[in-house]
């Protein structure tokens, strides 16, 4: 029986070994097995395949990509698209700069739902004490105007990252 720590260590070793050449090949095998000969897999099966390849499905970047990003309206995925998604997530989620940015994102996301909402921005402005309370709405409106690209009234992780660039 393996301990929890040894399993995590093994997963880290596997992740490090999965490079640009082997990961797509492994993913295609997994894809073919999952889709039973079909050319497409469902959104849920796509997430399962990504999770099987050690993608942290609950990471705010992944949530934003599927729920608010370019794949928000996609219900079925082909293998090449899934490999592209995998590469995108791997390049963005494993970056140490992004890890630091994730920590900043979490400081704003008080209720930990994966979004920065108006009330969370207001709470931050109150704590920051840089602005007067009568300026909060103006500041929040500006943040939302420039950051909330999908117009849902909150910032997802990708929108937050785009604001920092």
């Amino acid at each position: 029986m393996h301990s929890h720590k040894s399993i995590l260590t093994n997963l880290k070793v596997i992740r490090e070994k999965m490079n640009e050449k082997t990961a797509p090949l492994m993913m295609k095998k997994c894809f073919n097995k999952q889709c039973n000969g079909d050319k497409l897999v469902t959104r849920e099966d796509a997430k399962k395949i990504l999770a099987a390849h050690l993608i942290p499905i609950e990471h705010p970047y992944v949530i934003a990509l599927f729920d608010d990003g370019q794949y928000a309206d996609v219900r079925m995925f082909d293998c090449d698209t899934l490999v592209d998604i995998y590469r995108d997530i791997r390049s963005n989620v494993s970056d140490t700069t992004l890890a630091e940015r994730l920590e900043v994102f979490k400081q704003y996301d008080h209720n930990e739902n994966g979004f920065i909402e108006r009330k969370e921005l207001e709470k931050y402005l109150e704590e920051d004490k840089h602005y007067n309370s009568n300026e909060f709405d103006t500041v929040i409106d500006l943040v939302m105007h420039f950051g909330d690209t999908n117009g849902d009234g909150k910032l997802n992780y990708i929108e937050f990252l785009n604001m920092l660039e």
Side-chain angles (χ1 to χ4, degrees), residues 19-64:
N19 61 36
E20 285 295 310
K21 292 180 182 178
T22 60
L25 295 175
M26 291 172 64
M27 187 170 289
K28 285 180 182 183
K29 284 183 182 179
C30 186
F31 180 91
N32 289 332
K33 183 177 178 183
Q34 190 78 26
C35 69
N36 296 322
D38 294 333
K39 302 265 189 229
L40 302 171
V41 294
T42 65
R43 177 184 208 68
E44 290 308 310
D45 284 341
K47 288 181 178 181
K48 288 176 187 175
I49 292 169
L50 291 169
H53 287 83
L54 306 177
I55 293 297
I57 297 302
E58 298 303 319
H59 190 283
Y61 184 86
V62 178
I63 292 170

Side-chain angles (χ1 to χ4, degrees), residues 63-80:
I63 292 170
L65 197 62
F66 276 97
D67 294 347
D68 293 325
Q70 69 190 79
Y71 302 106
D73 296 326
V74 179
R75 298 289 170 239
M76 302 294 284
F77 296 87
D78 63 31
C79 187
D80 290 336

Side-chain angles (χ1 to χ4, degrees), residues 68 115-116 118 121 140-156 159-160 162-163:
D68 293 325
F115 299 97
I116 300 172
R118 292 184 69 89
L121 286 173
I140 293 170
D141 288 345
L142 283 171
V143 168
M144 291 300 176
H145 175 75
F146 290 108
D148 182 20
T149 57
N150 66 4
D152 64 356
K154 54 192 174 188
L155 300 176
N156 65 44
E159 291 169 328
F160 176 78
N162 289 337
M163 284 185 61

Side-chain angles (χ1 to χ4, degrees), residues 115-156:
F115 299 97
I116 300 172
E117 299 167 358
R118 292 184 69 89
K119 63 184 173 189
E120 292 169 317
L121 286 173
E122 186 173 331
K123 183 176 180 176
Y124 176 78
L125 291 173
E126 287 172 359
E127 293 170 0
D128 184 46
K129 300 189 187 310
H130 184 73
Y131 295 96
N132 295 324
S133 60
N134 62 344
E135 299 173 302
F136 290 175
D137 284 339
T138 304
V139 173
I140 293 170
D141 288 345
L142 283 171
V143 168
M144 291 300 176
H145 175 75
F146 290 108
D148 182 20
T149 57
N150 66 4
D152 64 356
K154 54 192 174 188
L155 300 176
N156 65 44

